[in-house]
Amino acid sequence: MKIALKIVLFLGLLIFIYGAFVYFSFDAKKFLQTFEQRYSKVLYDKNEELLSVFLNNEEQWHIKAKFIPERLKIAVINYEDKNFYSHYGVDFLALMRAFVSNFNSAQRSGASTLSMQTIKLNTRAKRTYFNKFNEIIQSFALEQAFGKDEILRFYLSNAPYGGNLVGFEAAILFYFNKSAKNLTWSEAALLAILPNQPGLINLEKNKTLLLNKRNALLTKLYERKFIPKDLYELSLKEPLPNFKPRKNIAPHLALKLLDENKKELISSIDKKIQMKFEAKASEFSKSLQQKGILNLGIILADTKTRKVLAYVGSQDFYDIKNLGQINANVAKRSVGSILKPFLYALSMDEGLISSKSILLDVPIFFSNFNPQNANKKYYGLIQADKALQKSLNVPFVSLLQDYGYEKFFYKLRAFIGFEEENFQNYGLSFILGTKEQSLEEMTKLYLGLANYGELADLSFLRDENLSNVKTMFSKGSAYLTLKALKQVQRVGLENFNPNKIISYKTGTSYGRKDAWAMGATPKYTLGVWVGNFSGEANANLYGVSIAGDLLFELLGLLDDVEVDFTLPNDLINIKLDSVTKYRYDETLGGAYINALYPKDAKILQTSPYLRKIYEFNGKEVDSKDENFKEAKAVVRLDLPLYALNFLYQENIKLQSRKNLKILYPKNDLKVILAKDFDGKKGLVIRIANLKNEKVFWYLNQKLIYEGNKNNQILNLDKGKYTLLIIGEESGDNDEIEFEVK
């Protein structure tokens, strides 16, 4: 008897020691990591509404619960473990009842508490008495490490719900397609019984048995006073759901943000706006496809916070045929003219222009570069704000030359952080979009403009602060730029709601491969790209009539866009000469006007196109002339000869000090000529001849032409050349040197 007692005591001691070992070997951190590794990647919107979820490594939809709906909590506890909040991990009375029942009956029943089931879900151990013992011990440790509500959340986040659905959030998503906050009693009861019925977890089969079990639980909840009678009767009539396939919302952004280290994120996306924009993108793309245009991208951001509210990476992520899974918003594309507003603002701060200053819009060569306006027309003289509104290429290439293309390149590089360092790869064509950028980068820039020149990184997460805040230009120049862009003509959209105020700019890349539209309001900043991921050109691609149409259709889906930008406190009134609208020069005199100008900008330059002269009987004289004392001082418009040449052709005749000039080639230009079909190299020489007089042309001191033609085609061999032209009547002349390679 003593030996038997000793054996029992020894075995008891071994069991105690083993139990203590199991208890103290429980690692709460490892427990959490085991569950975390199994969860699917999930992206939520700013209100913690689910946007996108992806299959985990086990090909399961396994979603970690953020909170437990009260109805589900009540249903699960009453069905699984009514003493959950009173025991310490094990319900010994239930355990004894189960032992007696299993001993006396062939039908097995369990007594696992929710804590024990949570351990089992974590370890995935087989169902044996030994493993049951381990679960009991570990349940005590679990209860010591975590609170009851946390344990309940672990259980409901990892319980099986049929097929490849794990966790009640996945079940709600695919069975009910609704928010967990709106769970009905009937739905809560179904979710409570499903994990406990492994043989029944299939809503396509055994529906009658599932329905009976659900209703039995509803009855129990009614009897225990959790459900009022009218709601109970309605719940009984609620049909069982079916599996509902779904498409992810904002999938491009989810793939961009989520990785193995970031499996769950709360984004800044507004789910309601995102869904509207995705629907509009899909609808709009159908009309585009009829024109051979297959792809698009959209970004909407809150102007003040820089939080991205909608992110549509393509016409449809699930449009496999047309490469819908490519993210248009990060793809580098030619940006066309949408950088012009930034040169406009920077040039004001540099003192080069006011918003009203006259710019030249005439044919011109910059070395070997001959920019043209998109409509092939020239306006001669045009105000800077009007040139921006019409998106004229020639004035902005000239403005870039004055500002410095190297300086502008590095300014943009500092603003948006591209890696390219060699500004010489782009030169003056940079302002026409030859440097490829992404829609994300352009949206960041326009957000900076909308925030009166204060730039910051785009933010995709709800709970992150602004980063990389810097100043692009003054508040005043930003406001004047926004004011000019507000007046951009809405081609084809004249009847669009005029109360919706937006400052916007469109752009079309060279060869019509990309169409852009960027818009800013005090509430929202919106960016749109339309084109083909293949890079294929399309004659129908225009920023103003394709991307612009989409921009305004999206704008129509938004509220709170009836407010205009307010006047900042750093604008002052300055005097401008009334003719060319540069800083009024007291030494020249004449009429002036008042205009707004940024207080923090450099002093505006005086007009490069006005000159004081002295006239006697309508003829210009200087101090050497005997009639100089009687001469009268007058201010004249003094334009460069290439501009006067264009105006003369338009029958606008202005006085000029000089009448002859070689327009092309430029002095010291190195020209590379391609052979034509005859094997010759033809160089077109162009001159300005304002008096239409007879001109003598000398090439390397040899007369090659005399007459009043303004251009010649010369077939030249490789070498250096000197070209001299002389007017027969005026005696004016011009000379250049150039080299043919």
Side-chain angles (χ1 to χ4, degrees):
M1 191 71 178
K2 290 182 180 180
I3 295 174
L5 181 60
K6 287 181 179 179
I7 292 172
V8 170
L9 290 174
F10 180 72
L11 290 174
L13 180 62
L14 286 178
I15 293 171
F16 176 80
I17 293 172
Y18 177 76
F21 170 77
V22 172
Y23 180 89
F24 287 108
S25 64
F26 178 81
D27 187 336
K29 185 177 180 180
K30 184 178 180 182
F31 171 87
L32 288 174
Q33 287 176 343
T34 300
F35 277 150
E36 290 293 337
Q37 291 169 359
R38 298 173 188 166
Y39 292 133
S40 293
K41 296 176 185 177
V42 182
L43 186 70
Y44 295 93
D45 88 331
K46 64 178 185 177
N47 299 312
E48 300 188 33
E49 296 277 347
L50 192 143
L51 294 171
S52 286
V53 57
F54 299 93
L55 289 168
N56 65 8
N57 293 333
E58 298 173 337
E59 297 296 309
Q60 295 173 325
W61 305 105
H62 189 169
I63 303 176
K64 179 182 178 181
K66 302 188 77 64
F67 82 104
I68 308 299
E70 189 62 25
R71 290 179 175 179
L72 179 59
K73 181 189 293 187
I74 292 170
V76 169
I77 290 173
N78 278 271
Y79 186 75
E80 289 282 2
D81 188 359
K82 66 180 181 179
N83 298 318
F84 175 66
Y85 282 99
S86 60
H87 63 62
Y88 295 97
V90 179
D91 189 337
F92 287 103
L93 288 176
L95 203 61
M96 290 298 296
R97 284 196 299 270
F99 178 78
V100 172
S101 175
N102 292 340
F103 184 78
N104 295 325
S105 172
Q107 185 175 355
R108 298 293 178 186
S109 64
S112 294
T113 61
L114 287 171
S115 301
M116 292 168 64
Q117 291 185 61
T118 302
I119 292 293
K120 183 177 177 63
L121 290 170
N122 187 269
T123 61
R124 294 179 174 176
K126 293 182 179 180
R127 191 174 184 181
T128 66
Y129 285 111
F130 177 74
N131 289 335
K132 177 71 74 173
F133 176 77
N134 286 342
E135 289 168 15
I136 291 171
I137 302 302
Q138 289 178 341
S139 294
F140 289 121
L142 179 69
E143 294 263 349
Q144 287 297 311
F146 301 101
K148 289 287 188 180
D149 287 340
E150 283 184 287
I151 294 171
L152 182 60
R153 186 166 61 86
F154 293 148
Y155 168 74
L156 287 171
S157 293
N158 294 278
Y161 280 90
N164 62 347
L165 301 182
V166 181
F168 82 91
E169 289 274 16
I172 289 176
L173 186 65
F174 287 96
Y175 291 151
F176 310 124
N177 193 25
K178 65 193 302 186
S179 169
K181 300 173 185 177
N182 302 320
L183 208 61
T184 67
W185 278 111
S186 175
E187 292 163 347
L190 180 64
L191 293 176
I193 67 170
L194 278 174
N196 195 254
Q197 303 292 328
L200 300 178
I201 299 180
N202 189 332
L203 283 170
E204 304 306 317
K205 302 175 183 178
N206 304 316
K207 280 200 169 186
T208 302
L209 190 53
L210 273 176
L211 188 64
N212 290 339
K213 285 185 171 290
R214 183 203 72 177
N215 290 346
L217 177 55
L218 287 171
T219 301
K220 183 186 292 186
L221 295 174
Y222 167 66
E223 291 171 347
R224 294 179 179 176
K225 309 297 184 183
F226 290 110
I227 309 177
K229 184 177 180 181
D230 55 346
L231 205 54
Y232 164 64
E233 291 174 349
L234 286 173
S235 298
L236 292 175
K237 295 177 181 178
E238 212 170 292
L240 293 178
N242 294 312
F243 183 89
K244 297 177 177 64
R246 72 179 299 275
K247 291 183 178 180
N248 279 334
I249 301 167
H252 293 92
L253 183 61
L255 290 172
K256 172 185 171 71
L257 298 179
L258 297 170
D259 56 34
E260 289 305 315
N261 297 319
K262 297 176 182 176
K263 282 194 166 186
E264 178 184 292
L265 290 173
I266 300 174
S267 73
S268 57
I269 295 294
D270 184 314
K271 185 176 181 179
K272 291 181 180 178
I273 296 178
Q274 178 72 28
M275 292 178 70
K276 287 180 182 179
F277 274 32
E278 287 188 8
K280 177 57 69 177
S282 178
E283 172 195 324
F284 194 82
S285 71
K286 290 180 174 61
S287 62
L288 290 179
Q289 288 173 15
Q290 295 174 4
K291 300 174 182 178
I293 304 168
L294 304 178
N295 308 113
L296 58 83
I298 302 165
I299 298 178
L300 175 74
D302 181 292
T303 295
K304 295 302 179 188
T305 66
R306 280 77 157 189
K307 301 289 185 185
V308 173
L309 301 175
Y311 190 95
V312 182
S314 72
Q315 69 286 353
D316 182 355
F317 183 82
Y318 299 95
D319 182 6
I320 305 300
K321 177 183 177 183
N322 294 314
L323 308 177
Q325 295 189 355
I326 292 176
N327 188 350
N329 298 340
V330 298
K332 303 284 188 177
R333 310 291 299 201
S334 173
V335 296
S337 297
I338 61 175
L339 292 178
K340 289 175 182 173
F342 301 92
L343 176 59
Y344 180 84
L346 288 167
S347 296
M348 266 193 281
D349 278 354
E350 195 67 19
L352 296 176
I353 58 170
S354 72
S355 60
K356 303 300 179 185
S357 294
I358 293 299
L359 301 179
L360 299 182
D361 182 36
V362 298
I364 183 175
F365 282 89
F366 299 89
S367 186
N368 219 12
F369 178 39
N370 176 218
Q372 296 179 332
N373 294 325
N375 59 8
K376 307 300 182 184
K377 296 179 181 179
Y378 299 93
Y379 292 83
L381 308 178
I382 189 167
Q383 282 188 183
D385 56 356
K386 298 295 190 295
L388 177 61
Q389 290 159 16
K390 294 180 181 297
S391 195
L392 301 178
N393 291 337
V394 174
F396 275 90
V397 173
S398 297
L399 191 58
L400 181 59
Q401 185 180 53
D402 293 341
Y403 183 83
Y405 63 84
E406 176 184 1
K407 183 177 178 180
F408 184 68
F409 177 91
Y410 285 114
K411 281 277 189 181
L412 263 292
R413 186 174 185 267
F415 294 160
I416 55 181
F418 53 78
E419 294 181 359
E420 179 75 41
E421 293 186 3
N422 191 353
F423 63 91
Q424 293 179 331
N425 287 340
Y426 307 99
L428 294 174
S429 67
F430 185 82
I431 195 60
L432 304 184
T434 51
K435 175 75 177 77
E436 294 182 335
Q437 310 288 354
S438 71
L439 183 56
E440 284 188 10
E441 292 168 328
M442 293 301 98
T443 304
K444 175 181 174 179
L445 275 183
Y446 274 80
L447 277 168
L449 176 61
N451 280 285
Y452 297 98
E454 184 185 76
L455 189 74
D457 286 343
L458 277 179
S459 176
F460 300 102
L461 301 178
R462 184 189 67 182
D463 301 322
E464 70 177 355
N465 298 321
L466 287 180
S467 59
N468 290 327
V469 180
K470 61 186 74 172
T471 299
M472 291 196 293
F473 31 71
S474 69
K475 293 180 180 179
S477 64
Y479 174 80
L480 293 173
T481 304
L482 291 164
K483 183 180 178 182
L485 294 176
K486 189 176 69 173
Q487 304 301 322
V488 173
Q489 186 179 2
R490 301 179 181 184
V491 178
L493 298 162
E494 290 78 5
N495 295 324
F496 184 81
N497 186 351
N499 293 323
K500 289 187 181 285
I501 303 170
I502 186 168
S503 300
Y504 81 106
K505 181 76 183 73
T506 61
T508 308
S509 69
Y510 179 76
R512 296 186 194 169
K513 295 181 178 181
D514 306 281
W516 299 78
M518 307 297 301
T521 75
K523 175 67 176 174
Y524 299 110
T525 297
L526 177 60
V528 166
W529 169 85
V530 179
N532 292 307
F533 288 145
S534 64
E536 181 181 350
N538 189 295
N540 296 307
L541 261 178
Y542 287 99
V544 66
S545 60
I546 295 293
D549 285 355
L550 178 55
L551 180 95
F552 279 94
E553 288 199 25
L554 293 167
L555 190 68
L557 301 175
L558 300 173
D559 298 320
D560 302 324
V561 286
E562 291 79 24
V563 180
D564 202 355
F565 288 98
T566 56
L567 194 73
N569 58 7
D570 72 334
L571 283 168
I572 57 174
N573 268 299
I574 65 169
K575 291 180 180 179
L576 305 179
D577 72 77
S578 61
V579 179
T580 63
K581 314 297 193 304
Y582 289 86
R583 179 167 59 86
Y584 182 69
D585 189 342
E586 300 284 351
T587 63
L588 294 180
Y592 65 83
I593 63 170
N594 288 308
L596 291 174
Y597 188 73
K599 180 176 65 176
D600 297 326
K602 291 182 180 179
I603 296 174
L604 179 64
Q605 67 172 330
T606 55
S607 177
Y609 306 125
L610 292 180
R611 183 171 66 98
K612 179 185 281 189
I613 64 170
Y614 292 87
E615 286 187 351
F616 180 77
N617 290 336
K619 181 181 177 183
E620 182 179 350
V621 296
D622 58 22
S623 58
K624 298 177 183 179
D625 193 284
E626 61 181 10
N627 298 308
F628 183 73
K629 289 183 179 181
E630 284 76 32
K632 183 180 179 181
V634 293
V635 177
R636 290 279 184 255
L637 192 61
D638 186 30
L639 300 177
L641 202 59
Y642 67 85
L644 291 173
N645 183 61
F646 170 79
L647 295 174
Y648 267 54
Q649 293 174 21
E650 298 294 314
N651 293 318
I652 302 173
K653 293 182 170 55
L654 300 173
Q655 292 183 3
S656 174
R657 286 174 291 171
K658 191 173 181 181
N659 297 298
L660 278 181
K661 184 172 180 61
I662 300 171
L663 300 178
Y664 185 81
K666 295 288 187 180
N667 192 41
D668 294 328
L669 181 66
K670 293 179 174 59
V671 183
I672 299 176
L673 295 179
K675 293 182 180 180
D676 59 21
F677 292 114
D678 296 327
K680 298 179 180 179
K681 299 178 180 179
L683 176 64
V684 179
I685 309 290
R686 293 184 175 88
I687 70 168
N689 180 8
L690 299 189
K691 289 187 174 181
N692 199 28
E693 62 181 319
K694 184 177 181 180
V695 177
F696 298 93
W697 297 52
Y698 293 90
L699 186 66
N700 289 350
Q701 300 181 348
K702 180 181 178 182
L703 180 66
I704 61 170
Y705 173 76
E706 56 182 279
N708 57 6
K709 289 177 63 176
N710 291 335
N711 59 73
Q712 295 287 327
I713 300 177
L714 304 181
N715 295 312
L716 302 176
D717 295 323
K718 183 170 67 174
K720 294 183 178 180
Y721 296 89
T722 299
L723 177 66
L724 170 68
I725 58 173
I726 302 174
E728 182 180 47
E729 299 174 15
S730 65
D732 281 351
N733 63 82
D734 194 20
E735 184 177 21
I736 63 164
E737 294 180 354
F738 63 95
E739 182 178 359
V740 174
K741 290 194 169 185

